[in-house]
Amino acid sequence: MTIGDAMSNAYDVAYQRSIEDPEGFWADAAQEIDWITPWDKVLDDSNPPFYRWFVGAECNTCYNALDRHADGGRGDQAALIYDSPVTGDTKRTYTYSELRYEVALFAGVLRAQGVEKGDRVIIYMPMVAEAVIAMLACARLGAVHSVVFGGFASNELAVRIDDAKPKVIVSATCGIEVNRVIEYMPLLNGAIDMATHKPEKCVILARPQAEVAMKDGRDVDWGGAMATAEPAECVIVAATDPLYILYTSGTTGQPKGVVRDNGGHMVALKWSMKNIYDVDPGEAYWAASDVGWVVGHSYIAYAPLLHGCTTIVYEGKPVGTPDAGAFWRVISEHNVSCMFTAPTAFRAIKREDPNGALLAEYDMSGLKSLFLAGERLDPDTLHWAEDKLKVPVIDHWWQTETGWAIASNCLGLHAFDIRPGSPTKAAPGWDVQVLDDNGQPVPAGDIGAIVVKLPLPPSALPTLYQRQDLFREKYLDQFPGYYCTADAGMIDADGYISIMARTDDIINVAGHRLSTGGMEEVLAEHVDVAECAVIGVDDQLKGQLPVGFLVLNAGTTKAGDDIVDEAVQMVRDRIGPVAAFKQAIVVERLPKTRSGKILRGTMQAIADNKEWKMPATIDDPVILDEIDAALQTLGYSDARS
Ligand code: COA
Ligand code: AMP
């Protein structure tokens, strides 16, 4: 439909109303939530550029996710299924009544450790049911959880401890990566040693795969504490109170604490389940992600439960646990109707089982749709998934900051034609526009900075934790009146959006968001490194992979290869294995502009064997030949073809 046509479908009607009458639109959506006290105002716009939703309302997120279903006819329905191929096919189903009981009990454990409304609790756990139980227990108490992904190293955890200042940390003795046991206690102890802030207590889930080494006086055994705990009731919170903080990569090693509130978050997520994913209460919805990422927060822990669905906590990989049929097994065994994951997971499956032969072993008839997000969905992967699964494969675009999709084919409203490379149109609530460097709208089809006109819809971040100034500086100042997504792209004449690249130094590795600046900060600390740069190069499996360039101090006697090995290890130790930083090269010099800016974009184009122009301001063009030659030794640049 072009602008000016009569509105022809439910999406157009919903979208237009959400932009013209956001208060009416979201007030209607909010009827789906049980409130303790209604709001005074749907949208408080008295302090732009800061906005708050459902001001004056009181509620409890855990009540809406569990109690109202447990007491409202879904008590015996499966709420959460834990499925763990890495622990010998362990499976456990929690009904809504059982999950409510476990969560209330664990809330009692936290309360016994002194956790009250507003206190922060860090959750550093593998993909076990207890991770979701801990999140919901915090929500029950009005405590603010901050989940830290298990693939981050001690230093990253320490940075988050010092920022969030948790009263309690909840962790486990180990995680399991396919068949490798990752001991968590050394990582946790290391982080607490490094951090200035010390938590009062750590509640540790003992897993049989790793020995328990509790610290006297600090550590509390999860099982023991549950045995004597008193269940806790839901605590009343304001809709605008924080539910959680989720740290995400910024342009430096200092992560940004994205805050999510209670009321707006519930309203948007509940609305999204039917209108975007076209899922009904009672169906099984599976997000194959990790609770450490925003997808895990929104679509493993909260949205499916708010909607009365069954959610799946899967402790395994798309391949290797035990094979490339793992996803099909989970879908058929638990009758999943809608699945959500990152394209990289499908690339991994496609690589191992290109013909999808393993699909024949499973009954996939219950699957209605596949949603993908977290990185660009390449057309090959899209077509492969469509061809093999024979269901709509929907690319949708979102960010940690937004908490739900900014753009999607909203299947519950209207299924538009799929155009490869585009996450379709802006979701209702999001006034997405493309601006040039001067903040002027660009013509349809032209590339520019993708921004969203304020106010953002419910569930989008109201601020960064204790850093309103940084929130303003990073997201709101560049284009006054708009939220800057830091993605570049375009909107065509039909309203289809394309996301082309980040405008900052963020790269996307296996659907994980990482800062090259953060990696450079680590590399720069190597005693022999004078200067460095990290770029993201295209990778067929993970989308992008980081590659480091190291310029050594004059007079360094150590072998370059040894320095590279040490540098790789440093990034693994400081940021974590998830950075997937395994490649670095020693070079004589880095290409720069005359003003000293490193030409990372040009280096990236050379690595990816893409067309590039000699930058007019380059200091010394010969350096690019040296970079090209170095990249070829790693199999990039010309060596790709
Ligand atoms: N705890 C400890 N280590 C972890 C970890 C965790 N929770 N998650 C990942 N790691 C480790 C991996 O074991 C790997 O270690 P290695 O370098 O010793 O091999 C490293 O971090 C990199 O992990 P990853 O990039 O995930 O690569 P992989 O080769 O293990 O798996 C895929 C590749 C594609 C199978 C995997 O990335 C995947 O399943 N992705 C799904 C998408 C997803 O979850 N996206 C999240 C947003 S929706
Ligand atoms: P994260 O905050 O980890 O969810 O990462 C958000 C970033 O991932 C976005 O800013 C985009 O750069 C990228 N991204 C997420 N979804 C998509 C998508 N569907 N297509 C292209 N890029 C995406």
Side-chain angles (χ1 to χ4, degrees):
M1 188 181 105
T2 51
I3 296 158
D5 281 354
M7 282 188 292
S8 53
N9 61 58
Y11 163 84
D12 292 328
V13 175
Y15 186 77
Q16 186 160 334
R17 176 157 186 237
S18 76
I19 301 302
E20 288 172 0
D21 175 23
E23 293 201 65
F25 182 87
W26 291 112
D28 281 358
Q31 302 306 321
E32 295 276 311
I33 297 299
D34 283 4
W35 303 91
I36 297 162
T37 312
W39 51 85
D40 300 324
K41 204 154 175 18
V42 179
L43 175 68
D44 176 0
D45 55 3
S46 60
N47 183 31
F50 308 110
Y51 299 86
R52 301 309 310 258
W53 289 95
F54 305 106
V55 175
E58 290 180 313
C59 56
N60 183 281
T61 295
C62 183
Y63 177 85
N64 277 279
L66 298 179
D67 298 64
R68 68 167 174 163
H69 302 307
D71 297 336
R74 295 192 185 278
D76 295 332
Q77 180 200 307
L80 184 153
I81 299 173
Y82 166 60
D83 183 308
S84 170
V86 296
T87 53
D89 281 341
T90 315
K91 278 164 216 156
R92 178 160 179 203
T93 299
Y94 299 76
T95 64
Y96 269 97
S97 293
E98 288 165 346
L99 190 60
R100 191 241 313 251
Y101 181 69
E102 295 285 324
V103 167
L105 215 52
F106 192 65
V109 169
L110 290 176
R111 178 170 282 163
Q113 306 311 321
V115 174
E116 297 294 345
K117 179 165 147 180
D119 288 337
R120 274 82 55 220
V121 174
I122 280 190
I123 300 173
Y124 184 60
M125 292 190 94
M127 278 295 288
V128 289
E130 287 82 354
V132 175
I133 290 171
M135 292 164 82
L136 291 164
C138 290
R140 196 168 187 85
L141 295 177
V144 182
H145 62 68
S146 185
V147 183
V148 178
F149 177 61
F152 281 126
S154 293
N155 180 64
E156 291 289 317
L157 180 55
V159 169
R160 288 154 174 79
I161 293 173
D162 275 337
D163 199 69
K165 301 194 173 35
K167 194 172 253 181
V168 167
I169 298 183
V170 183
S171 191
T173 50
C174 68
I176 302 158
E177 279 292 294
V178 186
N179 47 19
R180 202 158 37 100
V181 172
I182 313 282
E183 302 253 5
Y184 273 30
M185 294 308 284
L187 294 166
L188 177 66
N189 293 336
I192 294 175
D193 284 349
M194 263 177 227
T196 311
H197 172 86
K198 307 291 175 197
E200 288 170 23
K201 294 283 176 192
C202 295
V203 183
I204 309 292
L205 177 74
R207 306 191 75 191
Q209 294 79 10
E211 243 177 70
V212 188
M214 302 274 190
K215 281 213 171 173
D216 274 352
R218 189 197 73 182
D219 294 347
V220 176
D221 170 51
W222 176 296
M226 288 287 268
T228 55
E230 289 288 326
E233 284 310 310
C234 295
V235 170
I236 299 174
V237 299
T240 48
D241 280 343
L243 170 69
Y244 70 75
I245 307 163
L246 178 56
Y247 290 90
T248 190
S249 296
T251 45
T252 64
Q254 190 66 33
K256 300 183 287 194
V258 168
V259 172
R260 196 83 61 214
D261 66 13
N262 277 273
H265 177 244
M266 282 196 281
V267 171
L269 290 196
K270 172 78 173 81
W271 181 90
S272 72
M273 286 298 287
K274 180 65 194 166
N275 292 285
I276 293 185
Y277 299 99
D278 197 18
V279 168
D280 288 316
E283 292 187 272
Y285 178 99
W286 178 29
S289 177
D290 189 288
V291 286
W293 307 118
V294 66
V295 174
H297 281 65
S298 295
Y299 290 103
I300 298 175
Y302 288 109
L305 297 176
L306 289 168
H307 199 47
C309 290
T310 303
T311 188
I312 319 270
V313 175
Y314 173 69
E315 191 180 24
K317 300 264 175 182
V319 293
T321 59
D323 57 29
F327 277 11
W328 322 143
R329 176 190 66 74
V330 174
I331 289 168
S332 67
E333 212 167 294
H334 306 306
N335 200 24
V336 170
S337 72
C338 178
M339 181 185 189
F340 180 172
T341 191
T344 189
F346 267 71
R347 287 197 295 269
I349 296 170
K350 177 171 148 239
R351 191 167 71 164
E352 293 226 341
D353 182 17
N355 298 320
L358 291 166
L359 267 164
E361 294 176 23
Y362 301 97
D363 174 8
M364 301 283 291
S365 58
L367 187 71
K368 293 193 301 189
S369 59
L370 169 68
F371 281 75
L372 298 170
E375 55 172 330
R376 185 179 160 268
L377 173 57
D378 53 287
D380 270 3
T381 306
L382 167 70
H383 295 315
W384 188 86
E386 284 175 331
D387 182 49
K388 299 294 173 249
L389 297 178
K390 313 253 182 291
V391 296
V393 176
I394 308 298
D395 179 10
H396 62 332
W397 166 56
W398 51 304
Q399 307 184 313
T400 304
E401 289 85 346
T402 67
W404 63 291
I406 313 167
S408 183
N409 209 340
C410 298
L411 289 191
L413 291 170
H414 180 79
F416 285 98
D417 289 344
I418 288 166
R419 296 191 191 165
S422 167
T424 319
K425 306 191 185 203
W430 300 96
D431 187 351
V432 181
Q433 302 185 18
V434 182
L435 304 181
D436 65 19
D437 289 348
N438 301 317
Q440 295 307 310
V442 302
D446 279 12
I447 294 179
I450 309 189
V451 297
V452 184
K453 192 162 186 294
L454 299 176
L456 299 180
S459 177
L461 79 171
T463 191
L464 293 176
Y465 185 60
Q466 294 189 331
R467 289 304 304 272
Q468 185 95 314
D469 56 331
L470 197 65
F471 174 50
R472 193 176 186 138
E473 179 194 322
K474 293 283 177 197
Y475 299 99
L476 307 174
D477 277 353
Q478 193 180 351
F479 300 106
Y482 298 90
Y483 163 83
C484 177
T485 65
D487 279 316
M490 62 179 186
I491 306 179
D492 73 12
D494 299 328
Y496 278 67
I497 296 175
S498 295
I499 309 300
M500 325 288 274
R502 290 282 302 196
T503 55
D504 55 13
D505 75 339
I506 299 294
I507 58 169
N508 211 306
V509 180
H512 307 140
R513 171 168 158 179
L514 297 162
S515 156
T516 54
M519 295 184 213
E520 288 175 5
E521 281 178 17
V522 175
L523 296 175
E525 280 179 27
H526 191 290
V527 285
D528 295 314
V529 171
E531 219 182 357
C532 62
V534 175
I535 59 168
V537 300
D538 283 350
D539 180 72
Q540 283 212 326
L541 175 66
K542 296 194 180 184
Q544 283 187 298
L545 275 180
V547 172
F549 298 83
L550 310 175
V551 178
L552 304 186
N553 287 319
T556 302
T557 50
K558 201 182 270 175
D561 284 353
D562 291 342
I563 295 172
V564 164
D565 290 348
E566 287 165 11
V568 165
Q569 193 59 41
M570 277 173 79
V571 175
R572 197 175 171 91
D573 292 345
R574 288 282 298 278
I575 298 178
V578 68
F581 183 84
K582 295 188 174 167
Q583 307 173 93
I585 345 171
V586 172
V587 291
E588 286 292 316
R589 314 170 280 175
L590 293 172
K592 291 184 186 170
T593 61
R594 280 190 283 276
S595 60
K597 196 166 171 277
I598 298 173
L599 292 161
R600 293 183 183 79
T602 313
M603 292 161 79
Q604 190 169 333
I606 295 173
D608 294 340
N609 210 6
K610 290 193 177 128
E611 264 187 49
W612 56 276
K613 269 204 209 125
M614 181 63 71
T617 55
I618 192 164
D619 184 31
D620 180 358
V622 177
I623 304 179
L624 289 177
D625 295 334
E626 295 167 16
I627 294 291
D628 194 348
L631 278 164
Q632 289 188 39
T633 64
L634 291 180
Y636 297 114
S637 185
D638 277 350
R640 272 182 188 277
S641 35

